[in-house]
Amino acid sequence: MNKNEFLTLLNTQLSQLPPEEKLELLEDYEAHFAFGKQNGKTEEEIVHELGDPHELAKEALGERFTSREPVYWYHDPSRRPEASAPPAPARRRRGATAQTFVIIGMFFINLVLAPLMLAFWTFAAAITIGAVACIASPVLLTMDMLYNEVSTAKWFASVFMVGIGILLALASKGLFRAVLISTQKYFSWNHQTAKGDA
């Protein structure tokens, strides 16, 4: 079996995976072939080392493995759901007493969590403001030259601060993303808990 046959068979076996996950796995196996060829191995030797595509797919799918039939990931609007599918079980709603206790409990939890979320946002904002101040230090030093004598050491310190500011700016980007995701999850949790979905 050569590389193309191996990857085609593996592609078919992995059809139960979402397309992005399947593509990532196939790219990993292509990298195995590229690495093996760099080390002087033939495609057949690499296939022998990797093993049976069916077993590899079964291992990758884990509990999702159901059959060898391919699954096609597209939406067909003309196809209606099968009538034999069992209806989804009805979700029980909370009683008024339970809902009242949940709301009271959430109030006390949010007394702690809301200030914590605010502190995260304040920390992210402080890092960003610090980054801007560090990056702007040469401009501030130039303005200081208008009124005072500026030494060489101040210029070196200013260049150093620009470097620190760039690092802080890079850190603040990831920090803001993390805080934003945490905030969205926090509000989503509050909404779902209040509705009774969680």
Side-chain angles (χ1 to χ4, degrees), residues 14 18 40 42 57 83 93 95 120 149 168:
L14 292 173
T42 65
R93 304 229 8 121
F120 286 151
E149 186 178 332
L168 285 175

Side-chain angles (χ1 to χ4, degrees), residues 21-86:
E21 196 175 338
K22 180 172 72 169
L23 182 63
E24 188 177 333
L25 272 172
L26 290 173
E27 285 174 353
D28 286 346
Y29 283 106
E30 287 205 30
H32 279 291
F33 278 99
F35 184 72
K37 284 185 179 180
Q38 287 176 353
N39 292 325
K41 295 179 182 175
T42 65
E43 289 184 354
E44 288 75 17
E45 288 173 330
I46 298 167
V47 168
H48 181 70
E49 285 178 4
L50 290 173
D52 180 26
H54 178 70
E55 291 300 318
L56 293 171
K58 191 173 181 181
E59 184 180 320
L61 290 167
E63 294 178 0
R64 295 177 286 190
F65 182 81
T66 55
S67 71
R68 296 175 65 138
E69 295 300 317
V71 175
Y72 300 99
W73 289 83
Y74 66 89
H75 174 68
D76 184 2
S78 64
R79 188 170 173 227
R80 294 187 178 155
E82 297 177 15
S84 61

